[in-house]
Amino acid sequence: MQPLQIGEARVPLVQSGTGEFIGLGGITIAGTTLRSDRRPFTVHLDTPDGIQYVRFKVRKVVQTNPGATVELDAIGWPGARREYQDDHGQATLALREHMEPVVDRLLWRLAPVAMKLAGRYWTGFSYSFTFTSSRRRIHRLLTHATWEIGGRITGNTVLHQGQCNMPVYHGARTNFFTTACLRTLADYGKAQGNSFQLGPRAGLVQGFDFQYAAAGALLQYWPRFASISSLLESPPASDLLHVVDEYRFKLASHATTPAKWVLFLPGLLQEHEARDLWWDCREYVYAVIRKQFGVAPSLVVPEVTMQYETALGRNHHRVKQGAWEIGAGKDASPSHASLRLTVAEVTVDHTEFLYAIADHLLPRLAKQGIRRYMPEVITHSDVTELGMKRKLDGGVHGDLHCASVCATHRFFPSEFWGGMRAWKYLADKAHGLGLEIIHWFAPHFSPRSPIFQQHPEYRMIDATGLPAAGGYGFSTLVVADWNTDIYNWVLNDLKRWKKEGGLDGVFVDSFSNLGMLQVNYSAAMRTNYAAFARLLADFQRIGVGSVSFECVSALGTGHFGMVDPRGNNLEQDRAVAGQNDFAWWLGQEDMAGDCFLNVQPRQRRTADLERSLFRAMASRGYFNFYGCGLYDQKHILPNWWVRLNHLYNQALPYMAGQRRLLPMGAGVRWENAGGELIWTFKDWRATPAAPVRILRLDGNTQRAWSGPVLPAWNVFRITTVH
């Protein structure tokens, strides 16, 4: 067949020797090859009852001028195994009297697209699919292509800010790249090595694709976002970069995927220019996604992970101390056990924990430049409702499974932790010190939550017919279906929490694996992405404004863990699942923009950690170094860390507008209408085109600097003199 000319894109259609349609071949835009013709671009369809569409035939090609539509007969083979499973994870069977293939319709639409982004003109094409059937329904469509500028990934650079992958991949046959969440990095390639392989876009996986090479830059994104899970992978000894996108939607006999745009920018880019371009693309694409759901942007500010010690003790009589009393408890008898916690050198019962934080920890944090704080999870949970019960209290029969504070019963302050009164005391103290106070949030609940007892239809049900648990087991956690009225039930609790106690934001835990992966098999396979995104927008509308995630996300800032396996310390860290490696981010801190990384460094020099944090701050990122002796439950940070916190807080108001990396790794420049802000990693000579005023920031004041050389490891504000 003749290649299609879609604007500046040349798109070959590949057929087999028997005339069957296989897919798209080696695509070029403006004369540059963008993918190898060795691996055709294919599409995969199936129905939940086991029909696999494995063959395609071209009915006709309709030139729509300037685009085209390839009309295909999708020929499905009725296999026996269905998508549904029994209680033991075995596929159930569809028993059919006849095994003739079925034929349905698939349209593959191609259209020319172009756009101006960051002052540069990109051209390319878009593609989308429409499935139509009179008798069968699907809820997912998977595309599999490889994309390589020049037809090979070797020599190209992939920039991909993800939770479980290296952010910068220099393509080569001698190494590999994957966005899959592996159990450990050593499990790569093993059949059971994946925690999960397809990761949600704008969740575990970056919400767009970007690579650059000597010939230019390649950008792929969706102007209209939906529930999409993907895998990007370049296997060892391979010269290809596989990009798999699975579109997930409600079960339907007529379904159309959102269009994915493929855009190319020709021309040689220096490394710092390419990274600036990636940043510009990220800012644009994520703003498009947020606008679709009505979510406002969030910012990373200095924050530390809470450190405290626990013990099982006995309640004792109240002891007056300041505005609160130590040792509160419903039962002060010697036989009544309680949870005792030590924080900031004060030991209290669990009901006094928030008061101790407010009076003893928050002032200490505020002085050290911390601007956001999240205490322990204090909502109703298995811990607060079941934690003090024994098996024998209810007899020897029956269930008594008590999970952690993550097993939520209700997103509302529990009396176990002092209730709303204690939370309000904490929030008022935080606000008086200039701190935001946020709380943990998640897409799931405990299976023992009363809301699920009253409304079992609020649960996501997986392919086994059991509640979806996101890899944890349905007796531990159950994912909520946010398309149900649990949405309003939770929103009303957050409204009351905001009004009565004060709440500035939420940290969304398990967003990828428990929020975005599941489909509800009891409700036509509907997904959670759009509903949960709208919920976050409603949180912001009631004043719960800051949103961060245990992953990367277009909807807020990233907030996830990193381990540092160095030397002989290669055992898996139980605090982090997957192949997270802090070494991937060292020297690549500009890729950590708008991310808060909880880093457990090993065998690192303090001077290296200080400079790494400085470089991350320069791009609006933050590294919290915990578990390495830099701070404990006293929360006393090293002087250099305190200095950087104050410096970042002072600089942040000027870190909007364009971010530009200085050549040769010399620093970062922010450009906006108010002037420039420069973070220097090396001595830098300022060469302004007009008379300027240069101020050096020191975390507290801004002092005049005579220039023009700006010494390394400083921050300068430059404004034009009128």
Side-chain angles (χ1 to χ4, degrees):
M1 299 181 68
Q2 290 295 320
L4 298 177
Q5 193 66 39
I6 311 296
E8 294 194 38
R10 182 178 180 273
V11 183
L13 305 180
V14 181
Q15 289 183 296
S16 69
T18 59
E20 292 184 4
F21 177 77
I22 297 176
L24 307 184
I27 296 170
T28 64
I29 295 178
T32 300
T33 300
L34 296 181
R35 60 178 315 276
S36 171
D37 59 6
R38 287 175 289 156
R39 177 54 170 86
F41 181 172
T42 57
V43 59
H44 302 265
L45 309 168
D46 59 4
T47 68
D49 57 348
I51 295 177
Q52 301 278 336
Y53 295 89
V54 296
R55 298 169 55 198
F56 299 91
K57 288 189 176 180
V58 177
R59 291 177 61 90
K60 59 182 175 178
V61 177
V62 179
Q63 199 79 37
T64 54
N65 193 25
T69 299
V70 182
E71 296 189 8
L72 301 170
D73 281 338
I75 303 169
W77 181 259
R81 289 186 176 88
R82 303 195 299 177
E83 196 174 325
Y84 304 95
Q85 300 173 2
D86 60 25
D87 288 351
H88 297 269
Q90 307 297 302
T92 58
L93 304 179
L95 306 179
R96 297 181 175 89
E97 293 185 9
H98 305 285
M99 290 301 293
E100 291 84 359
V102 301
V103 180
D104 289 305
R105 188 69 56 85
L106 182 69
L107 304 182
W108 194 332
R109 292 188 177 88
L110 305 166
V113 294
M115 66 182 296
K116 190 174 183 180
L117 195 160
R120 301 171 185 260
Y121 190 70
W122 304 67
T123 59
F125 72 102
S126 69
Y127 62 86
S128 63
F129 301 88
T130 296
F131 171 84
T132 304
S133 174
S134 59
R135 300 182 60 183
R136 283 157 292 278
R137 298 190 296 170
I138 64 171
H139 73 98
R140 59 187 182 185
L141 181 151
L142 183 144
T143 64
H144 184 175
T146 72
W147 292 96
E148 309 88 13
I149 300 173
R152 57 200 299 260
I153 200 62
T154 298
N156 298 359
T157 299
V158 176
L159 299 181
H160 193 98
Q161 186 192 63
Q163 182 182 1
C164 291
N165 60 267
M166 59 183 73
V168 180
Y169 172 60
H170 300 295
R173 288 179 175 270
T174 55
N175 55 14
F176 74 97
F177 173 83
T178 183
T179 60
C181 182
L182 304 174
R183 289 193 169 96
T184 68
L185 193 59
D187 285 329
Y188 176 78
K190 297 179 181 178
Q192 293 183 318
N194 293 296
S195 177
F196 55 100
Q197 191 178 34
L198 287 172
R201 288 284 187 167
L204 182 88
V205 181
Q206 183 173 273
F208 62 99
D209 302 328
F210 186 96
Q211 67 174 272
Y212 70 94
L218 175 64
L219 166 68
Q220 301 180 63
Y221 85 105
W222 294 267
R224 184 73 181 173
F225 205 71
S227 186
I228 303 163
S229 287
S230 300
L231 170 69
L232 279 71
E233 187 164 303
S234 182
S238 173
D239 215 7
L240 304 177
L241 176 69
H242 296 263
V243 179
V244 178
D245 295 320
E246 184 173 86
Y247 301 80
R248 299 174 178 180
F249 37 83
K250 193 173 181 179
L251 193 63
S253 58
H254 182 90
T256 298
T257 66
K260 188 175 187 180
W261 285 27
V262 180
L263 295 161
F264 182 65
L265 175 70
L268 180 64
L269 296 165
Q270 298 297 319
E271 182 181 9
H272 68 281
E273 294 176 315
R275 296 206 185 197
D276 287 340
L277 203 56
W278 169 84
W279 178 271
D280 292 336
C281 291
R282 179 185 174 278
E283 291 283 272
Y284 172 78
V285 172
Y286 283 10
V288 167
I289 297 173
R290 287 194 301 269
K291 183 178 180 181
Q292 179 178 332
F293 297 107
V295 177
S298 299
L299 288 174
V300 170
V301 297
E303 184 179 347
V304 289
T305 302
M306 181 160 189
Q307 306 290 323
Y308 61 87
E309 299 170 3
T310 62
L312 192 63
R314 302 286 180 185
N315 275 359
H316 55 284
H317 296 293
R318 291 177 178 268
V319 178
K320 197 77 174 177
Q321 181 165 330
W324 50 280
E325 299 171 332
I326 299 178
K330 294 180 180 178
D331 183 356
S333 67
S335 63
H336 185 75
S338 71
L339 179 65
R340 304 277 291 163
L341 303 101
T342 300
V343 59
E345 304 169 277
V346 174
T347 301
V348 295
D349 287 339
H350 51 87
T351 54
E352 306 294 347
F353 185 47
L354 297 182
Y355 294 104
I357 293 171
D359 285 349
H360 293 274
L361 179 57
L362 293 190
R364 183 175 299 179
L365 295 180
K367 289 180 181 179
Q368 297 178 98
I370 300 302
R371 286 293 171 264
R372 183 176 294 147
Y373 181 72
M374 180 175 67
E376 180 55 275
V377 179
I378 59 92
T379 47
H380 295 247
S381 68
D382 274 8
V383 170
T384 67
E385 309 306 305
L386 304 173
M388 293 300 181
K389 292 183 179 179
R390 301 170 301 169
K391 179 68 174 178
L392 296 179
D393 289 338
V396 295
H397 293 290
D399 294 331
L400 180 61
H401 181 94
C402 182
S404 73
V405 288
C406 297
T408 304
H409 286 223
R410 183 183 181 187
F411 287 108
F412 197 74
S414 168
E415 291 300 324
F416 181 92
W417 298 105
M420 186 64 78
R421 179 184 176 189
W423 177 270
K424 186 177 188 307
Y425 186 89
L426 174 75
D428 288 347
K429 181 61 71 75
H431 295 157
L433 294 167
L435 276 77
E436 293 181 26
I437 194 76
I438 68 172
H439 195 271
W440 178 91
F441 189 77
H444 56 75
F445 289 79
S446 166
R448 291 156 293 282
S449 169
I451 193 65
F452 284 157
Q453 310 306 315
Q454 300 163 17
H455 294 280
E457 73 276 12
Y458 288 177
R459 303 172 302 173
M460 289 286 269
I461 303 299
D462 67 16
T464 65
L466 297 171
Y472 287 95
F474 66 88
S475 61
T476 302
L477 297 172
V478 172
V479 178
D481 185 343
W482 296 96
N483 299 280
T484 67
D485 203 46
I486 201 169
Y487 182 114
N488 291 313
W489 181 71
V490 168
L491 182 60
N492 286 334
D493 270 355
L494 266 290
K495 286 179 181 177
R496 182 181 164 194
W497 192 345
K498 173 67 178 179
K499 180 179 179 180
E500 296 181 12
L503 181 64
D504 300 313
V506 290
F507 160 69
V508 183
D509 199 3
S510 299
F511 181 63
S512 296
N513 59 319
L514 280 158
M516 301 298 104
L517 286 185
Q518 287 72 34
V519 298
N520 195 336
Y521 281 78
S522 68
M525 285 76 161
R526 65 189 176 200
T527 67
N528 256 335
Y529 191 93
F532 200 75
R534 290 193 296 269
L535 178 69
L536 296 175
D538 278 342
F539 282 0
Q540 291 185 326
R541 275 189 275 274
I542 64 173
V544 182
S546 171
V547 181
S548 59
F549 298 86
E550 190 212 7
C551 60
V552 297
S553 178
L555 302 175
T557 58
H559 190 300
F560 50 91
M562 281 286 134
V563 295
D564 194 3
R566 306 199 74 205
N568 296 322
N569 297 318
L570 296 177
E571 70 276 7
Q572 176 68 12
D573 189 312
R574 292 178 61 84
V576 180
Q579 69 275 19
N580 319 60
D581 190 340
F582 179 51
W584 290 341
W585 298 82
L586 280 174
Q588 318 291 349
E589 290 88 355
D590 56 290
M591 294 296 297
D594 294 334
C595 283
F596 175 100
L597 302 190
N598 266 318
V599 181
Q600 189 172 3
R602 299 176 181 176
Q603 304 172 18
R604 299 282 181 189
R605 295 190 313 162
T606 300
D608 293 336
L609 297 180
E610 178 181 357
R611 292 191 172 184
S612 181
L613 178 56
F614 183 91
R615 288 191 293 264
M617 287 178 166
S619 288
R620 285 200 321 236
Y622 194 87
F623 295 161
N624 172 48
F625 301 116
Y626 76 101
C628 60
L630 290 181
Y631 71 95
D632 55 20
Q633 58 93 1
K634 298 177 184 177
H635 294 82
I636 304 297
L637 305 180
N639 290 336
W640 60 265
W641 193 340
V642 174
R643 180 183 66 85
L644 292 184
N645 284 341
H646 288 299
L647 186 60
Y648 179 74
N649 291 328
Q650 187 184 23
L652 188 58
Y654 310 113
M655 295 172 65
Q658 279 192 332
R659 190 207 71 173
R660 290 291 175 259
L661 303 184
L662 301 179
M664 306 300 292
V668 177
R669 179 175 65 240
W670 291 86
E671 303 172 353
N672 52 59
E676 298 180 2
L677 186 81
I678 297 180
W679 295 69
T680 59
F681 309 158
K682 300 177 181 178
D683 290 352
W684 177 255
R685 179 175 291 273
T687 56
V692 296
R693 184 186 183 208
I694 302 177
L695 299 172
R696 177 181 172 274
L697 279 59
D698 64 8
N700 296 298
T701 60
Q702 302 181 38
R703 300 182 185 279
W705 185 264
S706 59
V709 176
L710 310 181
W713 310 112
N714 284 279
V715 181
F716 298 90
R717 186 179 174 213
I718 303 177
T719 56
T720 303
V721 176
H722 297 289

